[in-house]
């Protein structure tokens, strides 16, 4: 298990404890940006949509393990991925995809077969994708894509995309491809190796490696894929055909050496609607379970810390 995942799990545990001491996340904890709708908060506990002047809380939970949240390109569809136990301590937790419609202002729950996974929302908000692990008799694991049609609730099975656990997924804007991170190798002890960024063609099933790293996110313009370097402290971009690889920025050492010692980005990069900037969540204060919000400009490579001591940001849409 990577240091970044360990750090996130510790943050989740700390936040669970803090939720027992306060009834809700305070409005001041939610980040906001001029001209933007941000999806922010902690999935399964408290999610909100913010603008420059307003905060709309759309989900309040009661103790499920939070995993991931995402938003369609226009902000009309939000997904919160979380787990529920059935009361049997020997049973694996059930994965729940909770989908929110901004137009209907209502949630719909779908079940899934994956474990601790991210769900990718298509740019048009019509479909979810996630990778489910299938274990063979010899103990080896392979991952296969699954799709959920949000309107009908019908689930379908897609191509196999690797021989290891897959977490992060991101659709191409045209819906023809998915980019994901996967560990390329397992040693004799079953420990995963360094992750790679790969693209699968959903029509042919062809898989192509484009970089080494994690947490890939496809830009709305289709031109770039953003991802983190192996240590989690660098943000890179690369074209979908594996050309033009660029290092955009590196985090300086953080202020909490007793916790990790170096700064680290948490969760996937969040593209601006015009694909000109990328929003990044940094693990800021583990004692308070808060994040610093950075924005990096694609053309100048300048990274600016916009906010600190805030809830994380999961999606960015243009405010109408």
């Amino acid at each position: 298990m990577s240091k970044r995942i360990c750090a996130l799990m510790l943050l989740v545990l700390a936040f669970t404890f803090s939720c027992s001491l306060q009834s809700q996340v305070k409005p001041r904890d939610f980040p906001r940006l001029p001209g933007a709708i941000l999806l922010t908060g902690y999935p399964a506990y408290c999610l909100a949509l913010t603008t420059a002047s307003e905060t709309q809380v759309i989900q309040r939970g009661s103790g499920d393990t939070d995993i991931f949240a995402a938003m369609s390109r226009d902000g009309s569809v939000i997904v919160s991925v979380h787990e529920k136990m059935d009361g049997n301590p020997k049973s694996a937790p059930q994965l729940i995809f909770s989908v929110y419609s901004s137009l209907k202002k209502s949630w719909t729950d779908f079940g899934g077969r994956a474990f601790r996974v991210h769900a990718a929302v298509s740019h048009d908000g019509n479909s979810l994708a996630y990778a489910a692990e299938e274990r063979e008799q010899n103990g080896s694991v392979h991952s296969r894509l699954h799709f959920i049609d949000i309107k009908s609730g019908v689930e379908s099975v897609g191509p196999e995309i690797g021989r290891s656990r897959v977490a992060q997924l991101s659709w191409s804007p045209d819906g023809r491809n998915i980019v994901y991170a996967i560990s390329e190798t397992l040693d004799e002890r079953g420990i995963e190796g360094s992750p790679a960024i790969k693209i699968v063609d959903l029509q042919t099933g062809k898989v192509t490696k484009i970089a080494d790293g994690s947490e890939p996110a496809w830009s709305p313009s289709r031109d770039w894929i953003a991802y983190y370097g192996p240590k989690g402290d660098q943000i890179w971009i690369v074209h979908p055909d594996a050309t033009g690889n660029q290092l955009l920025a590196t985090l300086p050492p953080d202020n909490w050496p007793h916790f990790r010692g170096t700064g680290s980005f948490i969760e996937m990069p969040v593209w601006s609607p015009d694909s000109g900037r990328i929003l990044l969540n940094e693990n800021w204060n583990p004692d308070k379970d808060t994040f610093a919000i950075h924005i990096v400009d694609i053309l100048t490579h300048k990274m600016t810390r916009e906010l600190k001591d805030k809830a994380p940001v999961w999606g960015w849409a243009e405010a109408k």
Side-chain angles (χ1 to χ4, degrees):
M1 185 177 294
S2 70
K3 292 182 178 179
R4 192 190 64 78
I5 294 176
C6 289
L8 182 58
M9 291 178 67
L10 288 173
L11 285 171
V12 168
L13 291 173
F15 186 75
T16 302
F17 176 75
S18 69
C19 282
S20 66
L21 302 179
Q22 55 186 10
S23 60
Q24 63 180 18
V25 179
K26 303 297 188 297
R28 65 174 178 271
D29 297 328
F30 293 124
R32 58 187 76 248
L33 292 174
I37 299 173
L38 299 181
L39 173 63
T40 178
Y42 301 84
Y45 293 105
C46 188
L47 281 178
L49 295 173
T50 67
T51 64
S53 59
E54 297 180 345
T55 297
Q56 177 191 358
V57 175
I58 61 173
Q59 183 187 58
R60 295 190 190 278
S62 58
D64 297 332
T65 303
D66 62 317
I67 301 176
F68 185 67
M71 184 167 65
S72 63
R73 182 176 179 180
D74 63 358
S76 64
V77 175
I78 291 95
V79 59
S80 172
V81 185
H82 50 110
E83 293 173 346
K84 288 186 176 179
M85 298 295 295
D86 62 4
N88 185 348
K90 295 183 179 181
S91 299
Q94 180 185 5
L95 190 75
I96 302 295
F97 300 107
S98 294
V99 178
Y100 180 80
S101 168
S102 296
L103 299 177
K104 298 179 180 179
K105 298 187 183 304
S106 63
W107 287 92
T108 303
D109 289 346
F110 303 94
R113 300 195 309 113
F115 177 70
R116 291 197 175 280
V117 71
H118 293 190
V121 184
S122 60
H123 282 234
D124 60 12
N126 291 330
S127 302
L128 296 179
Y130 70 95
E133 299 171 25
E134 300 176 0
R135 190 172 297 274
E136 300 175 358
Q137 291 184 350
N138 62 4
S140 63
V141 173
H142 61 274
S143 292
R144 186 177 297 276
L145 285 178
H146 287 240
F147 303 96
I148 298 175
D149 183 280
I150 292 176
K151 291 183 179 180
S152 67
V154 173
E155 181 167 348
S156 58
V157 179
E160 181 181 323
I161 56 174
R163 308 292 293 182
S164 183
R165 177 176 295 178
V166 174
Q168 307 87 17
L169 304 169
S170 179
W171 290 80
S172 63
D174 59 11
R176 297 178 180 178
N177 302 274
I178 284 180
V179 63
Y180 60 99
I182 186 170
S183 297
E184 291 199 288
T185 59
L186 295 174
D187 64 17
E188 64 277 2
R189 297 170 295 173
I191 298 176
E192 297 178 351
S194 299
I197 307 297
K198 297 185 178 183
I199 292 176
V200 58
D201 185 306
L202 298 181
Q203 293 183 337
T204 66
K206 180 181 179 182
V207 173
T208 305
K209 177 182 175 180
I210 61 169
D212 291 308
S214 63
E215 312 278 5
W218 214 308
S219 70
S221 67
R222 300 191 300 176
D223 296 329
W224 295 104
I225 292 170
Y227 66 96
Y228 299 141
K231 294 183 179 180
D233 61 346
Q234 294 181 332
I235 177 67
W236 294 72
I237 55 173
V238 63
H239 289 305
D241 63 0
T243 64
N245 206 10
Q246 300 178 41
L247 171 63
L248 293 184
T250 301
L251 275 175
D254 67 18
N255 298 318
W256 299 86
H258 66 281
F259 183 69
R260 298 202 63 212
T262 58
S264 178
F265 295 120
I266 302 294
E267 294 305 343
M268 294 171 69
V270 179
W271 283 94
S272 65
D274 64 2
S275 299
R277 294 171 290 169
I278 302 174
L279 184 150
L280 306 162
N281 299 295
E282 179 193 1
N283 172 26
W284 179 252
N285 187 334
D287 294 336
K288 295 172 61 180
D289 319 309
T290 57
F291 297 77
I293 309 301
H294 300 264
I295 293 181
V296 59
D297 185 276
I298 300 302
L299 293 179
T300 65
H301 294 197
K302 180 181 179 181
M303 183 170 67
T304 304
R305 189 178 73 208
E306 298 288 337
L307 302 163
K308 62 181 181 180
D309 281 335
K310 298 294 182 182
V313 175
W314 305 90
W316 183 350
E318 183 180 359
K320 304 299 183 181

